[in-house]
mmCIF file of all heavy atoms in Angstrom:
data_model
loop_
_atom_site.group_PDB
_atom_site.id
_atom_site.type_symbol
_atom_site.label_atom_id
_atom_site.label_comp_id
_atom_site.label_asym_id
_atom_site.label_seq_id
_atom_site.Cartn_x
_atom_site.Cartn_y
_atom_site.Cartn_z
ATOM 1 N N MET A 90 19.966 24.505 6.433
ATOM 2 C CA MET A 90 21.230 23.971 5.897
ATOM 3 C C MET A 90 22.476 24.495 6.767
ATOM 4 O O MET A 90 23.367 23.820 7.104
ATOM 5 C CB MET A 90 21.680 24.314 4.446
ATOM 6 C CG MET A 90 20.889 23.443 3.442
ATOM 7 S SD MET A 90 21.045 21.530 3.806
ATOM 8 C CE MET A 90 22.741 21.284 3.617
ATOM 9 N N ILE A 93 22.472 22.529 10.005
ATOM 10 C CA ILE A 93 23.066 21.168 9.831
ATOM 11 C C ILE A 93 24.539 21.242 9.672
ATOM 12 O O ILE A 93 25.290 20.466 10.210
ATOM 13 C CB ILE A 93 22.393 20.562 8.543
ATOM 14 C CG1 ILE A 93 21.003 20.211 8.815
ATOM 15 C CG2 ILE A 93 23.106 19.174 8.231
ATOM 16 C CD1 ILE A 93 20.081 19.983 7.512
ATOM 17 N N SER A 110 21.406 8.098 7.683
ATOM 18 C CA SER A 110 20.347 7.515 6.925
ATOM 19 C C SER A 110 20.490 7.920 5.439
ATOM 20 O O SER A 110 20.924 8.994 5.130
ATOM 21 C CB SER A 110 19.067 8.234 7.464
ATOM 22 O OG SER A 110 18.129 8.081 6.442
ATOM 23 N N ASP A 111 20.057 7.003 4.636
ATOM 24 C CA ASP A 111 20.158 7.355 3.165
ATOM 25 C C ASP A 111 18.986 8.023 2.528
ATOM 26 O O ASP A 111 18.971 8.526 1.438
ATOM 27 C CB ASP A 111 20.493 6.110 2.383
ATOM 28 C CG ASP A 111 19.366 5.052 2.321
ATOM 29 O OD1 ASP A 111 18.403 5.296 3.023
ATOM 30 O OD2 ASP A 111 19.583 3.954 1.750
ATOM 31 N N THR A 112 17.987 8.254 3.463
ATOM 32 C CA THR A 112 16.864 8.979 2.852
ATOM 33 C C THR A 112 16.610 10.199 3.643
ATOM 34 O O THR A 112 16.007 10.406 4.713
ATOM 35 C CB THR A 112 15.437 8.052 2.829
ATOM 36 O OG1 THR A 112 14.412 8.938 2.457
ATOM 37 C CG2 THR A 112 15.264 7.372 4.183
ATOM 38 N N ILE A 113 17.342 11.244 3.107
ATOM 39 C CA ILE A 113 17.452 12.542 3.663
ATOM 40 C C ILE A 113 17.330 13.662 2.609
ATOM 41 O O ILE A 113 17.330 13.353 1.435
ATOM 42 C CB ILE A 113 18.789 12.764 4.534
ATOM 43 C CG1 ILE A 113 19.958 12.471 3.566
ATOM 44 C CG2 ILE A 113 18.693 11.884 5.811
ATOM 45 C CD1 ILE A 113 21.282 12.730 4.222
ATOM 46 N N TYR A 114 17.054 14.805 3.002
ATOM 47 C CA TYR A 114 17.035 15.961 2.044
ATOM 48 C C TYR A 114 18.099 16.137 1.169
ATOM 49 O O TYR A 114 19.242 15.740 1.631
ATOM 50 C CB TYR A 114 16.725 17.255 2.961
ATOM 51 C CG TYR A 114 16.938 18.540 2.142
ATOM 52 C CD1 TYR A 114 16.217 18.721 1.059
ATOM 53 C CD2 TYR A 114 18.005 19.421 2.453
ATOM 54 C CE1 TYR A 114 16.316 19.875 0.248
ATOM 55 C CE2 TYR A 114 18.134 20.547 1.777
ATOM 56 C CZ TYR A 114 17.463 20.732 0.560
ATOM 57 O OH TYR A 114 17.629 21.946 -0.192
ATOM 58 N N GLY A 115 17.864 16.217 -0.213
ATOM 59 C CA GLY A 115 18.908 16.193 -1.023
ATOM 60 C C GLY A 115 20.043 17.150 -0.861
ATOM 61 O O GLY A 115 21.420 16.773 -1.047
ATOM 62 N N GLY A 116 19.827 18.270 -0.211
ATOM 63 C CA GLY A 116 20.872 19.264 0.117
ATOM 64 C C GLY A 116 21.860 18.557 1.216
ATOM 65 O O GLY A 116 23.088 18.837 1.151
ATOM 66 N N THR A 117 21.263 18.013 2.132
ATOM 67 C CA THR A 117 22.002 17.363 3.284
ATOM 68 C C THR A 117 22.832 16.259 2.689
ATOM 69 O O THR A 117 24.091 16.005 3.023
ATOM 70 C CB THR A 117 21.034 16.960 4.338
ATOM 71 O OG1 THR A 117 20.154 17.926 4.710
ATOM 72 C CG2 THR A 117 21.871 16.487 5.639
ATOM 73 N N HIS A 118 22.279 15.464 1.713
ATOM 74 C CA HIS A 118 22.777 14.336 1.114
ATOM 75 C C HIS A 118 24.169 14.710 0.443
ATOM 76 O O HIS A 118 25.230 14.374 0.564
ATOM 77 C CB HIS A 118 22.016 13.635 0.274
ATOM 78 C CG HIS A 118 22.405 12.251 -0.261
ATOM 79 N ND1 HIS A 118 23.431 12.293 -1.296
ATOM 80 C CD2 HIS A 118 22.310 10.979 0.149
ATOM 81 C CE1 HIS A 118 23.626 10.977 -1.356
ATOM 82 N NE2 HIS A 118 23.074 10.121 -0.585
ATOM 83 N N PRO A 137 17.558 3.913 7.085
ATOM 84 C CA PRO A 137 17.145 4.536 8.415
ATOM 85 C C PRO A 137 16.457 3.422 9.259
ATOM 86 O O PRO A 137 16.564 3.504 10.603
ATOM 87 C CB PRO A 137 16.211 5.564 8.131
ATOM 88 C CG PRO A 137 15.614 5.439 6.778
ATOM 89 C CD PRO A 137 16.575 4.592 5.961
ATOM 90 N N TYR A 155 23.499 10.209 12.024
ATOM 91 C CA TYR A 155 22.578 11.291 11.568
ATOM 92 C C TYR A 155 21.277 10.705 10.830
ATOM 93 O O TYR A 155 21.389 9.901 9.988
ATOM 94 C CB TYR A 155 23.351 12.216 10.537
ATOM 95 C CG TYR A 155 22.519 13.482 10.002
ATOM 96 C CD1 TYR A 155 22.702 14.571 10.805
ATOM 97 C CD2 TYR A 155 21.664 13.249 8.868
ATOM 98 C CE1 TYR A 155 21.860 15.579 10.348
ATOM 99 C CE2 TYR A 155 20.972 14.355 8.530
ATOM 100 C CZ TYR A 155 21.058 15.577 9.183
ATOM 101 O OH TYR A 155 20.303 16.592 8.797
ATOM 102 N N VAL A 156 20.134 11.198 11.221
ATOM 103 C CA VAL A 156 18.845 10.813 10.648
ATOM 104 C C VAL A 156 17.837 12.032 10.587
ATOM 105 O O VAL A 156 18.053 12.955 11.252
ATOM 106 C CB VAL A 156 18.123 9.798 11.424
ATOM 107 C CG1 VAL A 156 18.817 8.469 11.330
ATOM 108 C CG2 VAL A 156 17.994 10.182 12.849
ATOM 109 N N GLU A 157 16.900 11.841 9.700
ATOM 110 C CA GLU A 157 15.729 12.656 9.783
ATOM 111 C C GLU A 157 14.540 11.847 10.479
ATOM 112 O O GLU A 157 14.438 10.655 10.057
ATOM 113 C CB GLU A 157 15.260 13.086 8.392
ATOM 114 C CG GLU A 157 16.214 13.965 7.658
ATOM 115 C CD GLU A 157 15.895 14.519 6.300
ATOM 116 O OE1 GLU A 157 14.926 13.934 5.697
ATOM 117 O OE2 GLU A 157 16.763 15.107 5.735
ATOM 118 N N THR A 158 13.896 12.414 11.377
ATOM 119 C CA THR A 158 12.880 11.586 12.127
ATOM 120 C C THR A 158 11.883 10.961 11.216
ATOM 121 O O THR A 158 11.619 9.827 11.195
ATOM 122 C CB THR A 158 12.037 12.584 13.038
ATOM 123 O OG1 THR A 158 12.892 13.528 13.745
ATOM 124 C CG2 THR A 158 11.273 11.712 14.109
ATOM 125 N N VAL A 159 11.311 11.854 10.187
ATOM 126 C CA VAL A 159 10.548 11.323 9.180
ATOM 127 C C VAL A 159 11.252 11.811 7.879
ATOM 128 O O VAL A 159 11.411 12.930 7.569
ATOM 129 C CB VAL A 159 9.089 11.843 9.115
ATOM 130 C CG1 VAL A 159 8.334 11.355 7.957
ATOM 131 C CG2 VAL A 159 8.403 11.611 10.405
ATOM 132 N N GLY A 160 11.793 10.721 7.062
ATOM 133 C CA GLY A 160 12.717 11.080 5.984
ATOM 134 C C GLY A 160 12.131 11.630 4.848
ATOM 135 O O GLY A 160 11.026 11.308 4.439
ATOM 136 N N ASN A 161 12.841 12.637 4.320
ATOM 137 C CA ASN A 161 12.504 13.329 3.128
ATOM 138 C C ASN A 161 13.065 12.662 1.813
ATOM 139 O O ASN A 161 14.220 12.455 1.762
ATOM 140 C CB ASN A 161 12.999 14.824 3.191
ATOM 141 C CG ASN A 161 12.532 15.703 2.030
ATOM 142 O OD1 ASN A 161 11.927 15.269 1.178
ATOM 143 N ND2 ASN A 161 12.992 16.910 2.102
ATOM 144 N N PRO A 162 12.334 12.169 0.869
ATOM 145 C CA PRO A 162 10.917 12.293 0.723
ATOM 146 C C PRO A 162 10.222 10.980 0.955
ATOM 147 O O PRO A 162 8.973 10.950 0.697
ATOM 148 C CB PRO A 162 10.718 12.662 -0.676
ATOM 149 C CG PRO A 162 11.874 11.930 -1.342
ATOM 150 C CD PRO A 162 12.971 11.868 -0.349
ATOM 151 N N THR A 163 10.896 9.980 1.314
ATOM 152 C CA THR A 163 10.345 8.634 1.382
ATOM 153 C C THR A 163 9.388 8.407 2.737
ATOM 154 O O THR A 163 8.579 7.478 2.721
ATOM 155 C CB THR A 163 11.322 7.571 1.388
ATOM 156 O OG1 THR A 163 12.130 7.744 2.680
ATOM 157 C CG2 THR A 163 12.223 7.549 0.263
ATOM 158 N N LEU A 164 9.470 9.215 3.534
ATOM 159 C CA LEU A 164 8.662 9.254 4.892
ATOM 160 C C LEU A 164 8.976 7.925 5.642
ATOM 161 O O LEU A 164 8.116 7.378 6.417
ATOM 162 C CB LEU A 164 7.166 9.263 4.575
ATOM 163 C CG LEU A 164 6.782 10.418 3.757
ATOM 164 C CD1 LEU A 164 5.173 10.574 3.492
ATOM 165 C CD2 LEU A 164 7.218 11.848 4.241
ATOM 166 N N LYS A 165 10.227 7.384 5.484
ATOM 167 C CA LYS A 165 10.667 6.353 6.459
ATOM 168 C C LYS A 165 10.846 6.992 7.759
ATOM 169 O O LYS A 165 11.480 8.047 7.762
ATOM 170 C CB LYS A 165 11.964 5.729 5.745
ATOM 171 C CG LYS A 165 11.602 4.906 4.517
ATOM 172 C CD LYS A 165 12.791 4.202 4.106
ATOM 173 C CE LYS A 165 12.547 3.461 2.738
ATOM 174 N NZ LYS A 165 13.749 2.944 2.091
ATOM 175 N N VAL A 166 10.663 6.255 8.692
ATOM 176 C CA VAL A 166 10.725 6.794 10.092
ATOM 177 C C VAL A 166 12.032 6.131 10.815
ATOM 178 O O VAL A 166 12.241 4.904 10.656
ATOM 179 C CB VAL A 166 9.478 6.412 10.954
ATOM 180 C CG1 VAL A 166 9.569 6.822 12.173
ATOM 181 C CG2 VAL A 166 8.241 6.857 10.204
ATOM 182 N N ALA A 167 12.713 6.995 11.438
ATOM 183 C CA ALA A 167 13.889 6.614 12.244
ATOM 184 C C ALA A 167 13.599 6.185 13.554
ATOM 185 O O ALA A 167 12.683 6.705 14.178
ATOM 186 C CB ALA A 167 14.868 7.664 12.194
ATOM 187 N N ASP A 186 17.315 15.580 12.352
ATOM 188 C CA ASP A 186 16.636 16.626 11.755
ATOM 189 C C ASP A 186 15.112 16.392 11.841
ATOM 190 O O ASP A 186 14.554 15.352 11.267
ATOM 191 C CB ASP A 186 16.949 16.657 10.173
ATOM 192 C CG ASP A 186 16.272 17.703 9.347
ATOM 193 O OD1 ASP A 186 15.188 18.120 9.733
ATOM 194 O OD2 ASP A 186 16.999 18.091 8.364
ATOM 195 N N ASN A 187 14.430 17.239 12.534
ATOM 196 C CA ASN A 187 12.992 17.041 12.977
ATOM 197 C C ASN A 187 12.078 17.907 12.152
ATOM 198 O O ASN A 187 11.007 18.218 12.575
ATOM 199 C CB ASN A 187 12.900 17.193 14.531
ATOM 200 C CG ASN A 187 11.616 16.613 15.039
ATOM 201 O OD1 ASN A 187 11.139 15.573 14.506
ATOM 202 N ND2 ASN A 187 11.071 17.229 16.177
ATOM 203 N N THR A 188 12.597 18.370 10.918
ATOM 204 C CA THR A 188 11.771 19.384 10.220
ATOM 205 C C THR A 188 10.441 18.978 9.804
ATOM 206 O O THR A 188 9.459 19.701 9.890
ATOM 207 C CB THR A 188 12.520 19.618 8.847
ATOM 208 O OG1 THR A 188 13.866 20.180 9.280
ATOM 209 C CG2 THR A 188 11.738 20.619 8.005
ATOM 210 N N PHE A 189 10.158 17.572 9.636
ATOM 211 C CA PHE A 189 8.840 17.233 9.152
ATOM 212 C C PHE A 189 7.907 17.040 10.263
ATOM 213 O O PHE A 189 6.710 16.828 10.044
ATOM 214 C CB PHE A 189 8.835 15.731 8.451
ATOM 215 C CG PHE A 189 9.223 15.931 6.992
ATOM 216 C CD1 PHE A 189 10.041 16.862 6.446
ATOM 217 C CD2 PHE A 189 8.687 14.979 6.061
ATOM 218 C CE1 PHE A 189 10.325 16.914 5.222
ATOM 219 C CE2 PHE A 189 9.030 14.957 4.755
ATOM 220 C CZ PHE A 189 9.933 16.029 4.264
ATOM 221 N N SER A 190 8.381 16.916 11.454
ATOM 222 C CA SER A 190 7.510 16.572 12.783
ATOM 223 C C SER A 190 7.681 17.459 13.900
ATOM 224 O O SER A 190 7.834 16.997 15.035
ATOM 225 C CB SER A 190 7.690 15.109 13.034
ATOM 226 O OG SER A 190 9.168 14.870 12.982
ATOM 227 N N SER A 207 14.623 22.908 9.846
ATOM 228 C CA SER A 207 14.539 24.024 8.908
ATOM 229 C C SER A 207 13.222 24.755 9.308
ATOM 230 O O SER A 207 12.163 24.248 9.167
ATOM 231 C CB SER A 207 14.336 23.405 7.511
ATOM 232 O OG SER A 207 13.956 24.503 6.765
ATOM 233 N N LYS A 210 10.015 25.711 7.082
ATOM 234 C CA LYS A 210 8.914 24.797 6.936
ATOM 235 C C LYS A 210 7.721 25.027 7.893
ATOM 236 O O LYS A 210 7.327 26.136 7.843
ATOM 237 C CB LYS A 210 9.411 23.414 6.775
ATOM 238 C CG LYS A 210 10.741 23.113 6.074
ATOM 239 C CD LYS A 210 10.545 23.462 4.541
ATOM 240 C CE LYS A 210 11.772 23.465 3.737
ATOM 241 N NZ LYS A 210 13.045 23.151 3.996
ATOM 242 N N ASN A 289 1.428 6.821 0.386
ATOM 243 C CA ASN A 289 2.320 6.486 1.502
ATOM 244 C C ASN A 289 2.148 7.597 2.549
ATOM 245 O O ASN A 289 2.425 8.749 2.353
ATOM 246 C CB ASN A 289 3.757 6.304 1.038
ATOM 247 C CG ASN A 289 4.732 6.083 2.137
ATOM 248 O OD1 ASN A 289 4.363 5.319 3.105
ATOM 249 N ND2 ASN A 289 5.964 6.541 2.003
ATOM 250 N N PRO A 291 2.647 8.099 7.145
ATOM 251 C CA PRO A 291 2.860 7.316 8.444
ATOM 252 C C PRO A 291 1.640 7.070 9.220
ATOM 253 O O PRO A 291 1.778 6.176 10.118
ATOM 254 C CB PRO A 291 3.890 8.321 8.983
ATOM 255 C CG PRO A 291 4.306 9.265 7.961
ATOM 256 C CD PRO A 291 3.373 9.330 6.904
ATOM 257 N N ILE A 315 2.495 15.454 5.573
ATOM 258 C CA ILE A 315 2.885 15.011 4.167
ATOM 259 C C ILE A 315 2.620 13.633 3.930
ATOM 260 O O ILE A 315 2.865 12.769 4.733
ATOM 261 C CB ILE A 315 4.504 15.240 4.367
ATOM 262 C CG1 ILE A 315 4.803 16.805 4.627
ATOM 263 C CG2 ILE A 315 5.105 14.834 3.041
ATOM 264 C CD1 ILE A 315 6.171 17.140 4.834
ATOM 265 N N PHE A 316 2.153 13.446 2.694
ATOM 266 C CA PHE A 316 2.089 12.089 2.071
ATOM 267 C C PHE A 316 2.648 12.050 0.691
ATOM 268 O O PHE A 316 2.856 13.125 0.160
ATOM 269 C CB PHE A 316 0.676 11.486 2.238
ATOM 270 C CG PHE A 316 -0.396 12.164 1.524
ATOM 271 C CD1 PHE A 316 -0.502 12.102 0.133
ATOM 272 C CD2 PHE A 316 -1.299 12.990 2.137
ATOM 273 C CE1 PHE A 316 -1.453 12.778 -0.592
ATOM 274 C CE2 PHE A 316 -2.291 13.636 1.444
ATOM 275 C CZ PHE A 316 -2.359 13.515 0.009
ATOM 276 N N THR A 317 2.934 10.969 0.298
ATOM 277 C CA THR A 317 3.434 10.819 -1.166
ATOM 278 C C THR A 317 2.485 9.937 -2.099
ATOM 279 O O THR A 317 1.801 9.026 -1.426
ATOM 280 C CB THR A 317 4.797 10.178 -1.261
ATOM 281 O OG1 THR A 317 4.688 8.898 -0.792
ATOM 282 C CG2 THR A 317 5.913 11.116 -0.460
ATOM 283 N N VAL A 344 8.645 23.543 -4.512
ATOM 284 C CA VAL A 344 9.409 22.771 -3.530
ATOM 285 C C VAL A 344 9.094 23.414 -2.173
ATOM 286 O O VAL A 344 8.300 24.335 -2.036
ATOM 287 C CB VAL A 344 10.992 22.789 -3.796
ATOM 288 C CG1 VAL A 344 11.237 22.085 -5.090
ATOM 289 C CG2 VAL A 344 11.513 24.213 -3.834
ATOM 290 N N SER A 345 9.554 22.875 -1.055
ATOM 291 C CA SER A 345 9.347 23.258 0.267
ATOM 292 C C SER A 345 8.160 22.578 0.791
ATOM 293 O O SER A 345 7.407 21.881 0.040
ATOM 294 C CB SER A 345 9.316 24.741 0.444
ATOM 295 O OG SER A 345 9.573 25.040 1.781
ATOM 296 N N LEU A 346 7.758 22.799 1.936
ATOM 297 C CA LEU A 346 6.637 22.213 2.676
ATOM 298 C C LEU A 346 6.310 22.937 3.944
ATOM 299 O O LEU A 346 7.000 23.856 4.312
ATOM 300 C CB LEU A 346 7.028 20.728 3.164
ATOM 301 C CG LEU A 346 8.446 20.592 3.861
ATOM 302 C CD1 LEU A 346 8.128 20.207 5.269
ATOM 303 C CD2 LEU A 346 9.282 19.586 3.080
ATOM 304 N N SER A 354 5.647 18.531 -5.201
ATOM 305 C CA SER A 354 6.792 18.386 -6.146
ATOM 306 C C SER A 354 7.093 16.997 -6.362
ATOM 307 O O SER A 354 6.747 16.144 -5.657
ATOM 308 C CB SER A 354 7.919 19.280 -5.524
ATOM 309 O OG SER A 354 8.252 18.746 -4.314
ATOM 310 N N CYS A 355 7.750 16.825 -7.563
ATOM 311 C CA CYS A 355 8.191 15.476 -7.825
ATOM 312 C C CYS A 355 9.621 15.364 -7.416
ATOM 313 O O CYS A 355 10.475 16.017 -7.932
ATOM 314 C CB CYS A 355 8.163 15.311 -9.376
ATOM 315 S SG CYS A 355 8.463 13.714 -9.965
ATOM 316 N N SER A 356 9.807 14.645 -6.251
ATOM 317 C CA SER A 356 11.116 14.812 -5.484
ATOM 318 C C SER A 356 12.313 14.409 -6.288
ATOM 319 O O SER A 356 13.398 14.947 -6.251
ATOM 320 C CB SER A 356 11.067 13.968 -4.232
ATOM 321 O OG SER A 356 9.924 14.336 -3.503
ATOM 322 N N SER A 357 12.249 13.290 -7.042
ATOM 323 C CA SER A 357 13.308 12.710 -7.667
ATOM 324 C C SER A 357 14.103 13.732 -8.615
ATOM 325 O O SER A 357 15.229 13.783 -8.653
ATOM 326 C CB SER A 357 12.853 11.487 -8.596
ATOM 327 O OG SER A 357 13.783 11.061 -9.437
ATOM 328 N N SER A 359 13.579 17.049 -8.247
ATOM 329 C CA SER A 359 13.694 18.392 -7.756
ATOM 330 C C SER A 359 14.652 18.385 -6.520
ATOM 331 O O SER A 359 15.881 18.349 -6.563
ATOM 332 C CB SER A 359 12.300 18.982 -7.427
ATOM 333 O OG SER A 359 11.584 18.089 -6.596
ATOM 334 N N THR A 360 14.059 18.158 -5.269
ATOM 335 C CA THR A 360 14.694 18.332 -3.997
ATOM 336 C C THR A 360 15.577 17.135 -3.768
ATOM 337 O O THR A 360 16.427 17.292 -2.780
ATOM 338 C CB THR A 360 13.776 18.586 -2.891
ATOM 339 O OG1 THR A 360 12.626 17.481 -2.844
ATOM 340 C CG2 THR A 360 13.132 19.960 -2.922
ATOM 341 N N SER A 361 15.481 16.037 -4.461
ATOM 342 C CA SER A 361 16.396 14.938 -4.313
ATOM 343 C C SER A 361 17.234 14.740 -5.399
ATOM 344 O O SER A 361 17.959 13.706 -5.623
ATOM 345 C CB SER A 361 15.608 13.697 -3.986
ATOM 346 O OG SER A 361 14.973 13.786 -2.783
ATOM 347 N N SER A 362 17.308 15.769 -6.459
ATOM 348 C CA SER A 362 18.006 15.542 -7.691
ATOM 349 C C SER A 362 19.499 15.482 -7.517
ATOM 350 O O SER A 362 20.169 15.076 -8.401
ATOM 351 C CB SER A 362 17.671 16.649 -8.783
ATOM 352 O OG SER A 362 17.847 17.981 -8.110
ATOM 353 N N GLU A 363 20.014 15.987 -6.295
ATOM 354 C CA GLU A 363 21.364 15.885 -6.056
ATOM 355 C C GLU A 363 21.849 14.359 -5.884
ATOM 356 O O GLU A 363 22.976 14.120 -5.922
ATOM 357 C CB GLU A 363 21.784 16.574 -4.620
ATOM 358 C CG GLU A 363 21.618 18.160 -4.671
ATOM 359 C CD GLU A 363 20.180 18.446 -4.189
ATOM 360 O OE1 GLU A 363 19.208 17.649 -4.157
ATOM 361 O OE2 GLU A 363 19.965 19.594 -3.673
ATOM 362 N N ILE A 364 20.814 13.570 -5.586
ATOM 363 C CA ILE A 364 21.089 12.085 -5.272
ATOM 364 C C ILE A 364 21.029 11.264 -6.622
ATOM 365 O O ILE A 364 20.056 11.400 -7.390
ATOM 366 C CB ILE A 364 20.197 11.510 -4.276
ATOM 367 C CG1 ILE A 364 20.110 12.506 -3.072
ATOM 368 C CG2 ILE A 364 20.484 10.108 -3.932
ATOM 369 C CD1 ILE A 364 19.030 12.201 -2.033
ATOM 370 N N GLN A 369 18.859 6.787 -5.456
ATOM 371 C CA GLN A 369 17.499 7.081 -5.375
ATOM 372 C C GLN A 369 16.672 5.883 -5.219
ATOM 373 O O GLN A 369 15.860 5.532 -4.390
ATOM 374 C CB GLN A 369 16.988 7.959 -6.402
ATOM 375 C CG GLN A 369 17.384 9.400 -6.362
ATOM 376 C CD GLN A 369 16.658 10.283 -7.317
ATOM 377 O OE1 GLN A 369 15.596 10.014 -7.801
ATOM 378 N NE2 GLN A 369 17.075 11.520 -7.555
ATOM 379 N N MET A 372 17.215 3.967 -2.014
ATOM 380 C CA MET A 372 16.605 4.524 -0.943
ATOM 381 C C MET A 372 14.963 4.512 -1.040
ATOM 382 O O MET A 372 14.208 4.837 -0.122
ATOM 383 C CB MET A 372 17.056 5.906 -0.606
ATOM 384 C CG MET A 372 16.563 6.984 -1.640
ATOM 385 S SD MET A 372 17.399 8.534 -1.329
ATOM 386 C CE MET A 372 16.005 9.559 -0.843
ATOM 387 N N GLY A 373 14.621 3.823 -2.138
ATOM 388 C CA GLY A 373 13.070 3.717 -2.279
ATOM 389 C C GLY A 373 12.381 4.868 -2.871
ATOM 390 O O GLY A 373 11.188 5.143 -2.749
ATOM 391 N N LEU A 374 13.052 5.660 -3.649
ATOM 392 C CA LEU A 374 12.532 6.955 -4.230
ATOM 393 C C LEU A 374 12.271 6.691 -5.630
ATOM 394 O O LEU A 374 13.274 6.635 -6.554
ATOM 395 C CB LEU A 374 13.551 8.066 -3.996
ATOM 396 C CG LEU A 374 13.125 9.304 -4.766
ATOM 397 C CD1 LEU A 374 11.669 9.683 -4.505
ATOM 398 C CD2 LEU A 374 14.128 10.516 -4.401
ATOM 399 N N LEU A 378 7.385 9.715 -7.911
ATOM 400 C CA LEU A 378 6.883 10.007 -6.593
ATOM 401 C C LEU A 378 6.529 11.530 -6.441
ATOM 402 O O LEU A 378 7.389 12.342 -6.576
ATOM 403 C CB LEU A 378 7.934 9.639 -5.544
ATOM 404 C CG LEU A 378 7.399 9.723 -4.031
ATOM 405 C CD1 LEU A 378 7.016 8.278 -3.492
ATOM 406 C CD2 LEU A 378 8.507 10.462 -3.166
ATOM 407 N N VAL A 379 5.266 11.843 -6.130
ATOM 408 C CA VAL A 379 4.871 13.259 -5.847
ATOM 409 C C VAL A 379 4.746 13.422 -4.345
ATOM 410 O O VAL A 379 4.035 12.738 -3.572
ATOM 411 C CB VAL A 379 3.566 13.631 -6.494
ATOM 412 C CG1 VAL A 379 3.184 15.004 -6.135
ATOM 413 C CG2 VAL A 379 3.731 13.405 -7.979
ATOM 414 N N ARG A 380 5.511 14.344 -3.729
ATOM 415 C CA ARG A 380 5.297 14.529 -2.341
ATOM 416 C C ARG A 380 4.384 15.776 -2.168
ATOM 417 O O ARG A 380 4.481 16.848 -2.800
ATOM 418 C CB ARG A 380 6.778 15.025 -1.742
ATOM 419 C CG ARG A 380 6.774 15.151 -0.299
ATOM 420 C CD ARG A 380 8.019 15.908 0.120
ATOM 421 N NE ARG A 380 8.135 17.201 -0.206
ATOM 422 C CZ ARG A 380 9.218 18.059 -0.081
ATOM 423 N NH1 ARG A 380 10.269 17.571 0.314
ATOM 424 N NH2 ARG A 380 9.238 19.286 -0.569
ATOM 425 N N LEU A 381 3.370 15.573 -1.296
ATOM 426 C CA LEU A 381 2.384 16.614 -1.122
ATOM 427 C C LEU A 381 2.453 17.025 0.311
ATOM 428 O O LEU A 381 2.306 16.178 1.240
ATOM 429 C CB LEU A 381 0.903 16.110 -1.389
ATOM 430 C CG LEU A 381 0.737 15.880 -2.919
ATOM 431 C CD1 LEU A 381 0.734 14.248 -3.163
ATOM 432 C CD2 LEU A 381 -0.709 16.387 -3.340
ATOM 433 N N SER A 382 2.575 18.348 0.558
ATOM 434 C CA SER A 382 2.555 18.941 1.864
ATOM 435 C C SER A 382 1.100 19.574 1.903
ATOM 436 O O SER A 382 0.913 20.568 1.425
ATOM 437 C CB SER A 382 3.632 19.950 2.089
ATOM 438 O OG SER A 382 3.358 20.757 3.093
#
Side-chain angles (χ1 to χ4, degrees):
M90 282 312 296
I93 296 165
S110 157
D111 64 0
T112 173
I113 51 175
Y114 165 58
T117 313
H118 192 279
Y155 185 87
V156 289
E157 291 176 2
T158 316
V159 178
N161 185 0
T163 59
L164 310 182
K165 287 185 185 166
V166 178
D186 180 335
N187 200 29
T188 298
F189 277 32
S190 41
S207 164
K210 312 292 170 9
N289 180 31
I315 299 171
F316 62 72
T317 61
V344 296
S345 202
L346 52 108
S354 56
C355 185
S356 303
S357 168
S359 60
T360 51
S361 298
S362 58
E363 294 93 336
I364 306 171
Q369 288 192 13
M372 69 190 246
L374 171 53
L378 188 102
V379 175
R380 187 191 70 192
L381 292 104
S382 167

